[in-house]
């Protein structure tokens, strides 16, 4: 039964696990309200909260640059796992 799990089930579920991992990472990194309420220390807040806090303090060009920098990790994660994400989405409709 372990060989069936290792050689059949895990290779077939790899794309699905990759999609779930990427969605969980993006959801955790962009959780705005919870981080704003629970983390009062600015050094421990995620980028989404820091960018919002900088809105009234810096010029618009710096704010836009911070938004571009904050969007780099999800884009890189998608590019890195793109093959698995597309395969996982394609396998959802198959039975």
């Amino acid at each position: 039964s372990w060989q069936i799990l290792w050689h059949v089930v895990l290779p077939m579920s790899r794309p699905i696990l990759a999609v779930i991992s990427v969605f969980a990472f993006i959801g955790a990194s962009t959780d705005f309200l919870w981080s704003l309420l629970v983390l009062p220390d600015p050094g421990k807040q995620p980028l989404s909260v820091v960018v919002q806090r900088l809105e009234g303090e810096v010029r618009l060009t710096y704010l836009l640059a911070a938004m571009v920098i904050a969007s780099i990790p999800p884009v890189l994660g998608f590019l890195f796992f793109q093959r698995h994400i597309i395969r996982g989405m394609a396998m959802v409709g198959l039975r």
Side-chain angles (χ1 to χ4, degrees):
S1 64
W2 285 105
Q3 288 181 348
I4 293 172
L5 175 72
W6 190 256
H7 294 291
V8 177
V9 175
L10 286 179
M12 289 181 67
S13 63
R14 188 179 336 163
I16 297 167
L17 292 174
V19 169
I20 291 171
S21 300
V22 168
F23 287 162
F25 173 75
I26 290 174
S29 67
T30 60
D31 190 13
F32 178 77
L33 187 59
W34 182 251
S35 301
L36 184 66
L37 294 174
V38 176
L39 298 172
D41 183 21
K44 295 181 181 178
Q45 292 175 341
L47 284 175
S48 59
V49 177
V50 173
V51 168
Q52 189 273 336
R53 195 169 32 91
L54 289 176
E55 184 179 359
E57 300 175 10
V58 297
R59 293 190 331 202
L60 182 62
T61 55
Y62 294 139
L63 185 64
L64 291 174
M67 288 180 188
V68 169
I69 291 171
S71 67
I72 289 174
V75 170
L76 288 178
F78 172 76
L79 292 176
F80 186 71
F81 291 110
Q82 180 178 6
R83 181 176 47 128
H84 298 293
I85 292 171
I86 301 299
R87 189 180 304 154
M89 289 181 183
M91 289 182 68
V92 169
L94 301 177
R95 284 189 169 197

